[in-house]
Amino acid sequence: MVSEELIKKRTTPLLAAEAKSLLEKWLSPLILTGQLGGEGDDTFTIVHLESDLSSLNSEVFYKLMKLDPGDDNQVISKTFDPVQFWSKVASYHKRIGKNSDEAYAVGSVLKTLKEPMGVVLGKDGSPSDSKHPVYVVGLTADGDLFGVR
């Protein structure tokens, strides 16, 4: 089991090279599980954009990610509670008996983010309807956008 002490040590500061490397290691075996529909069975990657933000909302997300809200493939089509979402990801991995420690460790890191948000991109019925990127992001203490895709 991954200890809380190790998580705190490895994530302070959150974006230290060691912490990022450890988070990548934890993420690599995890899958999305299809709980949001056609987004299932994707693997996760780290999202990190240096910025100096004090708040996060959909407009800021669009700007930082260089997305066009007028593009059906890039519009936020769903929002969701990121804490509840990650809890389901961790529960799924526990239920199948694989990588639950890693899933819970990633969840612990994500809980340190300020103003967390969960979004799914791509309007249903758009040309890229079969793929809807899912983001669980928030702000670090220094105002960077950080999370997982």
Side-chain angles (χ1 to χ4, degrees):
M1 181 98 179
V2 179
S3 73
E4 290 292 322
E5 183 178 322
L6 175 62
I7 291 167
K8 286 178 185 173
K9 178 181 175 187
R10 297 292 189 178
T11 59
T12 305
L14 179 64
L15 298 177
E18 286 182 35
K20 221 170 160 182
S21 175
L22 187 57
L23 187 58
E24 286 171 345
K25 181 180 174 182
W26 288 337
L27 280 173
S28 65
L30 304 180
I31 59 171
L32 184 53
T33 75
Q35 62 182 308
L36 292 171
E39 301 78 25
D41 300 331
D42 282 341
T43 56
F44 291 97
T45 57
I46 293 175
V47 173
H48 174 217
L49 297 172
E50 292 184 18
S51 52
D52 189 21
L53 298 172
S54 58
S55 65
L56 180 62
N57 58 39
S58 57
E59 291 81 23
V60 171
F61 180 78
Y62 281 126
K63 185 177 177 182
L64 280 176
M65 299 297 290
K66 298 180 179 162
L67 299 171
D68 177 4
D71 181 336
D72 286 351
N73 297 323
Q74 298 179 13
V75 68
I76 294 174
S77 60
K78 296 177 194 172
T79 59
F80 57 88
D81 180 322
V83 174
Q84 183 180 21
F85 169 81
W86 201 264
S87 176
K88 288 180 181 180
V89 170
S91 294
Y92 168 80
H93 284 86
K94 183 175 182 176
R95 190 172 60 250
I96 66 169
K98 291 183 179 178
N99 308 308
S100 63
D101 287 348
E102 291 86 347
Y104 284 105
V106 171
S108 294
V109 171
L110 294 175
K111 285 180 183 176
T112 68
L113 300 175
K114 298 184 298 179
E115 300 193 34
M117 65 186 292
V119 300
V120 179
L121 299 182
K123 193 174 191 180
D124 289 339
S126 68
S128 68
D129 190 33
S130 63
K131 281 287 185 187
H132 295 282
V134 174
Y135 291 86
V136 175
V137 295
L139 300 177
T140 65
D142 13 345
D144 289 353
L145 180 76
F146 190 81
V148 296
R149 175 185 188 268

